[in-house]
Amino acid sequence: MMPGTSSDPIITLIGAGLAGALLAILLSKRGYQVELFERRPDPRKQAGHAGRSINLALSTRGLHGLQHAGLADTVRQRSIKMPGRIIHTLDGETRFQPYGVNPSEVLYAISRAELQHLLLDALAHTPNVHLNFDTKCVEMHLAQQTLTLSHELTGEITTLIRPHVIGTDGSSSAVRSAMLRTPRFDYAQTYLEHGYKELTLPPAPDGTFQLDPHALHIWPRGTYMLIALPNLDCSFTCTLFMPFSGSVSFEALSTSDAITMFFEQQFPDVVPLIPDLVKDFTANPTGSLVTIKCSPWHYRDHLLLLGDAAHAIVPFFGQGMNCAFEDCTELDACIEAETPDWERVFAAFFSRRKPNTDAIADMAIDHYIEMRDHVADPHFLLQKQIEQELAKRFPKQYIPQYSLVTFQRIPYAQAREQARIHERILQQLSAHINHPDQVDWQQAEHLIQRELPLSREGAA
Amino acid sequence: MMPGTSSDPIITLIGAGLAGALLAILLSKRGYQVELFERRPDPRKQAGHAGRSINLALSTRGLHGLQHAGLADTVRQRSIKMPGRIIHTLDGETRFQPYGVNPSEVLYAISRAELQHLLLDALAHTPNVHLNFDTKCVEMHLAQQTLTLSHELTGEITTLIRPHVIGTDGSSSAVRSAMLRTPRFDYAQTYLEHGYKELTLPPAPDGTFQLDPHALHIWPRGTYMLIALPNLDCSFTCTLFMPFSGSVSFEALSTSDAITMFFEQQFPDVVPLIPDLVKDFTANPTGSLVTIKCSPWHYRDHLLLLGDAAHAIVPFFGQGMNCAFEDCTELDACIEAETPDWERVFAAFFSRRKPNTDAIADMAIDHYIEMRDHVADPHFLLQKQIEQELAKRFPKQYIPQYSLVTFQRIPYAQAREQARIHERILQQLSAHINHPDQVDWQQAEHLIQRELPLSREGAA
């Protein structure tokens, strides 16, 4: 850790996960001394993984953040392009759906561990960054600006005075606990009824991919679904999303027989591909899915929450990391605009970012509800078909919500606003019909011109 | 504290506030051994008060709970009847508005301290109740069913094993902290932008009331308001509700001059009645107003949250204590129905009570918004006038929300449902008019018969 005399412009980050590491690089580029304290050991020295990390799908917002750090190309090289999703139906058929309309609109599959290593390696070559592993933040006194740290191996306790601390310590943030003790701090943690479990779909005996690697695979089954993302070693990381309890649930799958039967009935094409299915299923933990919202994110000029620590979201829009990386570039912009007044930096970041992180949190929940309740609803499917046609016919005006969130960088709140307009248009166009052929395209054009004029799209 | 051998049917309550004390009496009546641990000293041995307790307005639900404990008459004798509110306008005029339609529909003003003493005195005469003051719950391990207590005076730490623990320790519940560490516990704390400050309006020099004691006095002023409730000693407890920050706010009233000027401009009739206005205002703390919602309220058969610990609400409907007392009678009913299976007792209480406490929490917020935003809206006032007339013309069918909540015991969620119907009716009746004389009473009768048929009211 650093000497910390008052003349040093030190920024202290608690948590050297994805957001912390990227932010440290951006801060260093601005000339700050940065110190990071990370509770866990250096992951580059560890074997294996925790068995609960959903594979990551990097998209435009995340790449933009990495670009700022000069890392976008390196990361792209270590990832696998996914130009679309492949839907696996119950009868074993597959259907490819492209994500975007042009070749650049693709997702990049990368394992969290891979990306983490890359960022830490970059950090090691970044000047004025001091990275401390195995160091847990056990206490903060905001008024005194003190930070008490415990070394996880030696047990040594240190108390430091630090002027500016940023909590990048994830959804169960210790830094946020300090904020919880400040007056009138709004806080909400809301869990889904669904949990998730990770399973590994290994490479074929000849070392090749067992499924098409250039796609995100989805086995949608109503109240539960399986997804798979490719890894560079030719394996796939699968994630099963399912209710914790109920007739079809993690609770109900309590025996080897029940697990086997469930997979054979619901995902018959997957069973031969995962030889260790029951073992994996039994050994791996069942993760929970939480949305966290709080307000404010900062305490004067002393403390700021960023990334999952400020706004954990559920993974159904694939935006958790992308949103956290966008936080980093947005904070960078606020630093540029408002320093040396750090209270204004933090306040500007909060007021600029909060409506947008609320919006992506809500859109991710909406996606979950859509997946859970609407996917089998014929009227919903009709609207989706009309939407595809609208996007084709009016490509400059009707940009689907998924594209706005995934392949553009317009503020999330604006993307949600556009999506609400889309919903109204689709409701009107689908009101009295039951097939996309029956759409009144004159009415459609009229609605689009009125509700989505080109000037709006220009703003996007 | 009690020996706690496994043969004793001990119920342990953390917190001997209003809800804890009442619940202990009800549990004792059912034959249980009850022990209570209260962090604070015995309030009957203390002089003065904390200076932040809003005076309480006891109504039907609260009285029903006290009735169960045989205390309703005693409490009524120590309180002051308030058959209505007196509105004080800016120009010094007053207007009396009765709360109910018959003489029994009144509120009872009682000081929190008075009621607390009464309940503790009753508890002292209740068999099988062991009350421990100055004893703080510092830790709970739910899986081991242990409870670690610290004696506030001696510092002695004791760890007990207790099978059934009920957290009646209020909005900043220590018991709830243990629940926060259980998996998938939903939790939200949401503060209002308004705070409150208590002021004492003393008796006149001749020892008499300075205002009419048989009313709740209100000085509504848009974004802020003052209220006053009578005390038995001929004083009034006043509470000023106001935003924390902004042009008219607690923050803005930072000097004696500002405070004096504000009161002279906004509450000119009050100024001569509170000689220590500036001293009181400066010395008394500014309280915050929080809504707390969480789910679930219980951990297996071991732990339950009740009252403010489970569902703190804002005071604008005067239902905080009334709701907590209703919790006690509802839990009593679940005990009757479900014991000896305490998990079923707790689960039944939660599923029965949660929709209703959510409803009163939301209604209290709606009341706050109404007060804040709508009170000066002519269309809102028109609807209120139409409502009064509907209640007069259709007394068995159109029972205003305020009466349903305050003078009836229909579940809060049903009261809210009725209020939504009322809103629709009022919207239709007020749509194209600007004076209550213009109401189409035939349409009104038609709407009432259709939306609020007598059979529904019978269910109420």
Side-chain angles (χ1 to χ4, degrees), chain A residues 150-170:
Chain A
S150 156
H151 196 278
E152 294 282 78
L153 304 178
T154 64
E156 192 192 346
I157 300 283
T158 321
T159 296
L160 306 172
I161 295 179
R162 286 296 182 268
H164 309 303
V165 178
I166 303 180
T168 47
D169 52 346

Side-chain angles (χ1 to χ4, degrees), chain B residues 115-171:
Chain B
L115 183 55
Q116 182 71 65
H117 292 189
L118 241 152
L119 283 164
L120 291 175
D121 287 345
L123 212 51
H125 298 100
T126 305
N128 298 323
V129 169
H130 293 249
L131 179 50
N132 309 274
F133 287 104
D134 302 301
T135 310
K136 182 178 172 179
C137 170
V138 288
E139 186 76 65
M140 294 187 70
H141 281 292
L142 302 191
Q144 294 99 309
Q145 306 199 334
T146 61
L147 188 65
T148 302
L149 303 164
S150 157
H151 196 277
E152 294 283 77
L153 305 179
T154 64
E156 192 192 347
I157 300 283
T158 321
T159 296
L160 307 172
I161 296 179
R162 287 295 183 269
H164 309 303
V165 178
I166 302 179
T168 47
D169 52 348
S171 63

Side-chain angles (χ1 to χ4, degrees), chain B residues 324-372:
Chain B
F325 283 180
E326 194 173 60
D327 274 6
C328 296
T329 47
E330 289 278 295
L331 178 61
D332 194 53
C334 294
I335 289 172
E336 172 150 335
E338 305 290 355
T339 44
D341 185 338
W342 282 88
E343 181 152 8
R344 285 174 63 108
V345 171
F346 291 172
F349 176 71
F350 171 63
S351 67
R352 189 166 157 157
R353 203 65 187 135
K354 171 73 170 165
N356 292 311
T357 60
D358 280 355
I360 186 61
D362 296 346
M363 287 190 284
I365 292 281
D366 289 347
H367 238 226
Y368 159 70
I369 293 170
E370 197 174 297
M371 175 200 93
R372 198 188 57 185

Side-chain angles (χ1 to χ4, degrees), chain B residues 99-274:
Chain B
Y99 279 122
V101 289
N102 66 58
S104 74
E105 292 184 352
V106 301
L107 303 183
Y108 294 87
I110 188 163
S111 85
R112 173 185 279 269
E114 182 80 25
L115 183 55
Q116 182 71 65
H117 292 189
L118 241 152
L119 283 164
L120 291 175
D121 287 345
L123 212 51
H125 298 100
T126 305
N128 298 323
V129 169
H130 293 249
L131 179 50
N132 309 274
F133 287 104
D134 302 301
T135 310
K136 182 178 172 179
C137 170
V138 288
E139 186 76 65
M140 294 187 70
H141 281 292
L142 302 191
Q144 294 99 309
Q145 306 199 334
T146 61
L147 188 65
T148 302
L149 303 164
S150 157
H151 196 277
E152 294 283 77
L153 305 179
T154 64
E156 192 192 347
I157 300 283
T158 321
T159 296
L160 307 172
I161 296 179
R162 287 295 183 269
H164 309 303
V165 178
I166 302 179
T168 47
D169 52 348
S171 63
S172 51
S173 170
V175 177
R176 198 180 56 231
S177 306
M179 288 295 285
L180 261 172
R181 292 192 301 270
T182 61
R184 292 188 286 136
F185 180 69
D186 283 352
Y187 174 72
Q189 59 183 42
T190 314
Y191 287 88
L192 295 189
E193 290 159 17
H194 279 63
Y196 70 91
K197 194 182 284 277
E198 203 180 271
L199 302 165
T200 301
L201 194 158
D206 65 357
T208 58
F209 281 108
Q210 295 201 85
L211 296 167
D212 181 344
H214 291 295
L216 193 158
H217 294 261
I218 307 186
W219 290 257
R221 296 293 181 267
T223 64
Y224 45 93
M225 74 168 173
L226 184 71
I227 66 168
L229 280 83
N231 293 312
L232 284 178
D233 67 359
C234 296
S235 70
F236 283 83
T237 303
C238 302
T239 310
L240 174 66
F241 295 95
M242 191 159 66
F244 277 99
S245 56
S247 61
V248 181
S249 67
F250 285 112
E251 224 172 79
L253 297 184
S254 56
T255 65
S256 301
D257 283 356
I259 297 164
T260 307
M261 203 162 77
F262 172 71
F263 272 83
E264 278 173 356
Q265 283 176 355
Q266 298 300 325
F267 312 109
D269 51 343
V270 175
V271 174
L273 311 183
I274 309 185

Side-chain angles (χ1 to χ4, degrees), chain A residues 109-164:
Chain A
I110 189 163
S111 85
R112 172 185 280 268
E114 182 80 25
L115 183 55
Q116 182 71 66
H117 292 190
L118 239 152
L119 283 164
L120 291 175
D121 287 345
L123 212 51
H125 298 99
T126 304
N128 298 322
V129 169
H130 293 247
L131 178 51
N132 309 273
F133 287 104
D134 302 302
T135 310
K136 182 177 171 180
C137 170
V138 288
E139 186 75 67
M140 293 187 72
H141 281 292
L142 302 191
Q144 294 98 309
Q145 306 200 334
T146 62
L147 188 64
T148 302
L149 303 163
S150 156
H151 196 278
E152 294 282 78
L153 304 178
T154 64
E156 192 192 346
I157 300 283
T158 321
T159 296
L160 306 172
I161 295 179
R162 286 296 182 268
H164 309 303

